[in-house]
Amino acid sequence: MEPLRNPALPGNPPVGGGNPRAARNDDFIDLGEIVATLLENKWLILAITAAAVALGILVAFTTTPIYRADALLQVEEKRKGIAGLEDIQSLLGDKTSVTAELEILRSRLILGRAAERLNLAVSAEPMRAPLIGNVLARRYSGDTPADAFLGMSSYGWGGERIQLDNLQVAPALLGETLTLVAKEQGAYRLLGPDDELLLQGRVGEAAAAEGVQIFVAALDARPDTRFSIRRESEERVLKAMLESLDVRERARLSGVLEVGYVDSDAALASAILNEILNAYLRQNVEFRSAEAEKTLIFLESQLPLLKSQLDAAEAAYNKYRQTRGSVDLTIETQSVLGSIVAVDNEIVALQQKRDELRQRFTPEHPQVVALDAQLGRLQARRGALDRDVSLLPDTQQTALRLKRDVEVSTLLYTNLLNSAQQLRVARAGTVGDVRVIDGAVTASRPVAPRKALILLLSGVLGVLASLAVVWAKRALRVVVEDPQEIEKELGISVYATVPHSKVEGEIARRAARGAPGQGELLALSRPDDDAVESLRSLRTTLHFALLGSDRGSVLITGPRPGVGKSFVSKNLGAVLAQAGKRVVLVDADLRKGHIHKEFGLPREGGVSDFVTGAADLAAIVRATPQPGFCVVTTGQIPPNPSELLMHPRFEALLHALGEQFDIVIVDTPPVLAVSDAAIIGRHVGATLLVARAGTHPIAELEQAVARLGHAGVQVKGFVFNDMDMTRQRYRYGQAGYQYRYTYERS
């Protein structure tokens, strides 16, 4: 048989030459480490991601759906009114700022009117069971309240209805949740925040107690069903409405506003938005007619005064004519009178216009200066007319003055009456400069929760969370994953690296279920398995480990249970026997030895029986399906295993087996658990420690070596078991650091 080369042995260079770590590309190493870590923790990643997706599904299907109602408004740039009334319409303004209209829609004035008309400060809804209550209630379509689910009668399960027309509470109870409990025949009880009884009442009747007034107009629910009722402050109601309201201009400079409102109740969302639009339209019309209204009020207050002045002027003129007889004005006097009346009317009109301009401009403004100049010319003309009047006879002068008062008063009264009538018509015809294009309509599908997005985000967040857990696990884990770390830190050679075997896992599971293997070993059932190949390498290495020793026995132990020392022991014995060696496996774990189960043998008639003299050597050595391979079981479990192993007959047993067999393999308990391995180690030719990949901190292995060293037992080498070679391929590269063997079957 061709000598085998083990790259773990001193003096044997790794396959490919040089240092494999030095030959790696740094960037590839990082990627390989990441991929290897992900593959190693794939089930953890899948579990965390699945949990996150399950949580996302729970949130998506239990969250109360939110509906959105939409409407369109148009804001006109120029307000249109009744033809021929442009002079009156100018009082109402002719341009509207879209930005200002956006803010008006969000104002407390508009929202407050809508909240007041819909009584939004008062809320009442059935109490639902956590998680499933809302889901079941939304899916219930019956006409009467649903029956209680699992006897939980205090919760509403669908079909409940309550109409609360009035709820007044003391300031201390504003924003507090009160509980209304339905009773038989329309009765109910109202409980406070601490479940104290506030009052009892009946549907359709007003009820009051200290600090609480309530009127329940309708109540349809099973007895003992509880409702949460609340009276919110105006500030919180308006804040909630403002958060649910969305107003924006659909396109820049278009003057078209898109208004949206969201709520968990689709019908209520439309109702609230329509009420907001109605309040906004009323406000707009009221604002446009406000100045006309004020002017009309002023004119109507002046009309009686002017009428009395007119009546007084007419009475004085008629009395003078009666006193002097019928006094007729000459043609010349009537001409002067007409000029005076016209000039006086022009002066009054210009003075009114000047007063309006003086409210907006300073006296030095050109328009104000121009009006002052016109007034000066009219007053000068009026003075000239007064001089003409002074040349008339006294009778004509008095008659002219009285007639002038009548004419001026009549003209002023008539003009004021016409202006008032025009303002009344303008006020009635005011329609505002905004109009509703599309009324509020609620979409049939909810806008939230967006189930597909929630599931997608939950999956992404689950992956990210799992990667964070893997990173934290890797950062906190300080276990040995690389056999070279053992050689570097402890200075002890790693004789073999045994890769993970899925087939061995299946064999172990069948044995755990109670199916006896009858010698079912990996080395026999799957001789081409990579783990068996590594044990063949250990077979050759063991030859060198026993050189110079007068004993052909090997002790195999581990720092702790569950590292696979029994797997190594029995399969190593099988591959040694396949090479033509006579091998015996001794199960010296007199506490929890189980090798007899894996070979389908009874425990009795083993080591403890030989040491106590209950059986001879021939009786305890049992054959296995592999020719040349025998097994010695533990025998009866003794009460004092350590003392039994220190007995001279145990050493005699090893000596006798050494004379009969080429190799004696002794499987012992873990080093750090009990002292049995240290006791046996003094009677064997070599001691091997089995370490499992990703299981031990380096300090644990160091302590195991030290424990054996204190007993005078030298560890020849390590067997690095259960290494994930898929991880190593990604770590070192597909053509990088791998163990390669050549062998010939004997």
Side-chain angles (χ1 to χ4, degrees):
M1 183 172 63
E2 179 184 347
L4 301 182
R5 292 166 57 85
N6 187 347
L9 287 176
N12 288 344
V15 176
N19 187 347
R21 289 179 178 267
R24 301 174 209 155
N25 179 276
D26 290 341
D27 294 336
F28 185 79
I29 290 172
D30 294 340
L31 179 61
E33 287 288 347
I34 292 173
V35 174
T37 302
L38 294 180
L39 288 174
E40 180 185 6
N41 296 276
K42 58 182 179 294
W43 296 115
L44 177 62
I45 294 173
L46 288 175
I48 295 177
T49 303
V53 172
L55 181 61
I57 293 174
L58 181 65
V59 171
F61 288 92
T62 58
T63 301
T64 302
I66 303 298
Y67 296 88
R68 176 183 172 89
D70 296 294
L72 282 182
L73 288 173
Q74 181 185 15
V75 179
E76 298 178 355
E77 292 186 1
K78 205 172 187 74
R79 202 198 58 77
K80 302 185 183 298
I82 300 177
L85 297 180
E86 286 80 5
D87 53 334
I88 302 300
Q89 298 281 357
S90 62
L91 296 173
L92 308 180
D94 58 2
K95 289 192 177 181
T96 303
S97 170
V98 174
T99 304
E101 298 302 326
L102 291 175
E103 297 304 322
I104 291 173
L105 269 168
R106 299 188 186 101
S107 66
R108 289 195 298 269
L109 171 67
I110 303 301
L111 300 182
R113 289 182 178 181
E116 182 179 1
R117 288 182 64 88
L118 295 177
N119 198 23
L120 297 181
V122 177
S123 63
E125 57 184 10
M127 290 186 178
R128 305 294 188 195
L131 295 179
I132 62 172
N134 285 325
V135 178
L136 295 178
R138 287 196 300 269
R139 284 162 173 73
Y140 181 74
S141 58
D143 297 330
T144 59
D147 295 333
F149 183 71
L150 298 179
M152 293 185 284
S153 59
S154 62
Y155 294 115
W157 298 98
E160 298 81 15
R161 187 176 67 90
I162 184 172
Q163 181 181 342
L164 194 61
D165 286 353
N166 181 45
L167 177 63
Q168 302 293 332
V169 298
L173 293 178
L174 276 177
E176 296 290 341
T177 300
L178 308 180
T179 303
L180 187 145
V181 184
K183 292 298 181 181
E184 301 283 352
Q185 299 179 352
Y188 63 84
R189 301 172 70 232
L190 185 63
L191 308 180
D194 299 325
D195 284 345
E196 71 277 13
L197 179 63
L198 297 180
L199 57 84
Q200 300 185 39
R202 300 188 67 84
V203 175
E205 299 177 1
E210 184 178 356
V212 180
Q213 295 180 6
I214 188 172
F215 183 82
V216 180
L219 178 62
D220 185 10
R222 288 177 290 97
D224 297 329
T225 301
R226 294 187 167 222
F227 292 81
S228 298
I229 65 174
R230 182 193 298 260
R231 175 83 187 194
E232 293 287 3
S233 64
E234 181 182 5
E235 178 184 1
R236 296 190 63 178
V237 172
L238 297 184
K239 181 179 179 181
M241 292 180 68
L242 187 59
E243 291 175 353
S244 300
L245 182 66
D246 176 31
V247 185
R248 62 178 179 269
E249 191 174 10
R250 170 161 283 192
R252 181 176 175 81
L253 302 179
S254 66
V256 177
L257 305 183
E258 182 178 352
V259 189
Y261 195 87
V262 295
D263 196 88
S264 58
D265 188 333
L268 184 60
S270 296
I272 293 176
L273 185 54
N274 276 323
E275 195 57 48
I276 290 175
L277 296 181
N278 293 335
Y280 172 66
L281 292 177
R282 287 195 300 270
Q283 171 273 335
N284 185 265
V285 172
E286 291 170 0
F287 174 76
R288 298 304 167 195
S289 61
E291 292 189 28
E293 182 71 23
K294 291 179 181 178
T295 305
L296 182 60
I297 292 173
F298 173 76
L299 294 180
E300 288 178 343
S301 66
Q302 296 298 314
L303 282 173
L305 179 61
L306 289 177
K307 185 66 169 62
S308 63
Q309 291 178 357
L310 174 60
D311 292 342
E314 288 179 345
Y317 177 63
N318 292 330
K319 182 178 180 180
Y320 180 77
R321 291 183 64 185
Q322 291 175 0
T323 303
R324 296 293 182 177
S326 179
V327 179
D328 294 328
L329 299 178
T330 63
I331 295 176
E332 181 182 0
T333 304
Q334 290 181 351
S335 176
V336 173
L337 176 62
S339 298
I340 291 175
V341 171
V343 171
D344 285 346
N345 284 333
E346 289 183 13
I347 290 174
V348 171
L350 287 177
Q351 285 178 342
Q352 291 178 351
K353 190 173 182 180
R354 183 178 181 276
D355 292 340
E356 293 179 3
L357 291 177
R358 287 290 299 271
Q359 293 178 359
R360 294 184 292 173
F361 306 116
T362 61
E364 292 78 15
H365 194 274
Q367 294 185 23
V368 179
V369 173
L371 284 177
D372 289 341
Q374 292 181 31
L375 281 172
R377 289 192 296 271
L378 288 174
Q379 289 172 354
R381 184 180 176 189
R382 181 68 167 75
L385 291 173
D386 287 341
R387 286 191 296 272
D388 292 340
V389 172
S390 64
L391 299 177
L392 297 175
D394 291 341
T395 302
Q396 289 292 320
Q397 289 186 26
T398 303
L400 177 63
R401 179 177 56 81
L402 294 175
K403 184 64 174 177
R404 181 201 63 190
D405 293 341
V406 172
E407 292 291 339
V408 171
S409 297
T410 300
L411 188 58
L412 289 176
Y413 179 75
T414 302
N415 290 340
L416 194 64
L417 192 62
N418 290 337
S419 297
Q421 186 61 32
Q422 287 179 336
L423 286 172
R424 291 190 187 96
V425 175
R427 182 185 61 179
T430 301
V431 294
D433 54 12
V434 295
R435 64 190 182 95
V436 177
I437 300 176
D438 294 331
V441 175
T442 303
S444 58
R445 291 182 175 273
V447 296
R450 299 173 62 181
K451 297 179 181 179
L453 181 60
I454 289 177
L455 295 181
L456 177 62
L457 289 178
S458 62
V460 172
L461 293 178
V463 172
L464 294 178
S466 63
L467 294 179
V469 171
V470 170
W471 177 85
K473 176 184 174 183
R474 181 174 176 81
L476 296 175
R477 186 172 63 178
V478 291
V479 295
V480 178
E481 295 182 348
D482 191 338
Q484 290 193 2
E485 188 176 351
I486 297 176
E487 297 180 349
K488 178 181 177 181
E489 297 293 335
L490 303 181
I492 301 175
S493 298
V494 177
Y495 281 0
T497 298
V498 181
H500 174 76
S501 173
K502 294 183 179 179
V503 178
E504 175 61 25
E506 296 173 359
I507 294 174
R509 284 190 291 272
R510 286 198 295 271
R513 290 195 299 265
Q518 288 296 338
E520 184 181 5
L521 301 179
L522 183 65
L524 301 180
S525 59
R526 291 291 296 272
D528 57 343
D529 193 273
D530 290 343
V532 178
E533 192 67 38
S534 297
L535 292 176
R536 290 193 181 96
S537 172
L538 179 60
R539 176 183 66 187
T540 304
T541 308
L542 192 60
H543 170 75
F544 297 100
L546 293 175
L547 287 177
S549 174
D550 57 350
R551 301 184 182 95
S553 54
V554 179
L555 183 145
I556 297 179
T557 187
R560 63 167 73 174
V563 298
K565 58 181 180 58
S566 297
F567 160 75
V568 173
S569 299
K570 62 188 180 182
N571 284 281
L572 176 61
V575 297
L576 285 169
Q578 289 172 354
K581 301 290 186 180
R582 293 174 300 155
V583 184
V584 62
L585 171 61
V586 179
D587 189 357
D589 187 354
L590 302 186
R591 304 169 189 270
K592 296 182 179 180
H594 55 80
I595 289 180
H596 63 284
K597 295 181 180 179
E598 298 165 8
F599 285 95
L601 300 173
R603 180 188 294 275
E604 293 77 9
V607 174
S608 61
D609 300 289
F610 179 86
V611 174
T612 58
D616 56 10
L617 185 62
I620 64 173
V621 177
R622 296 182 173 90
T624 68
Q626 173 61 45
F629 184 32
C630 297
V631 173
V632 177
T633 63
T634 60
Q636 295 289 342
I637 299 298
N640 52 348
S642 297
E643 289 77 4
L644 201 66
L645 294 175
M646 295 173 64
H647 196 280
R649 283 184 61 84
F650 180 75
E651 183 179 0
L653 172 63
L654 296 181
H655 180 72
L657 292 174
E659 291 181 349
Q660 274 191 359
F661 296 91
D662 297 325
I663 300 293
V664 178
I665 300 175
V666 184
D667 185 13
T668 67
V671 175
L672 299 180
V674 293
S675 61
D676 296 6
I679 296 172
I680 302 172
R682 294 194 296 266
H683 307 306
V684 298
T687 298
L688 299 181
L689 266 177
V690 178
R692 189 167 190 168
T695 303
H696 316 278
I698 193 66
E700 181 178 307
L701 300 180
E702 185 177 7
Q703 185 179 3
V705 173
R707 180 74 62 87
L708 291 172
H710 293 159
V713 179
Q714 180 183 5
V715 177
K716 288 287 186 179
F718 276 87
V719 177
F720 202 65
N721 186 35
D722 201 31
M723 191 170 188
D724 189 350
M725 297 309 293
T726 302
R727 175 183 175 87
Q728 301 311 310
R729 283 198 298 272
Y730 280 102
R731 175 181 293 175
Y732 301 125
Q734 293 295 335
Y737 185 55
Q738 296 181 356
Y739 290 105
R740 299 180 180 177
Y741 306 93
T742 60
Y743 67 94
E744 294 179 358
R745 291 180 179 265
S746 56

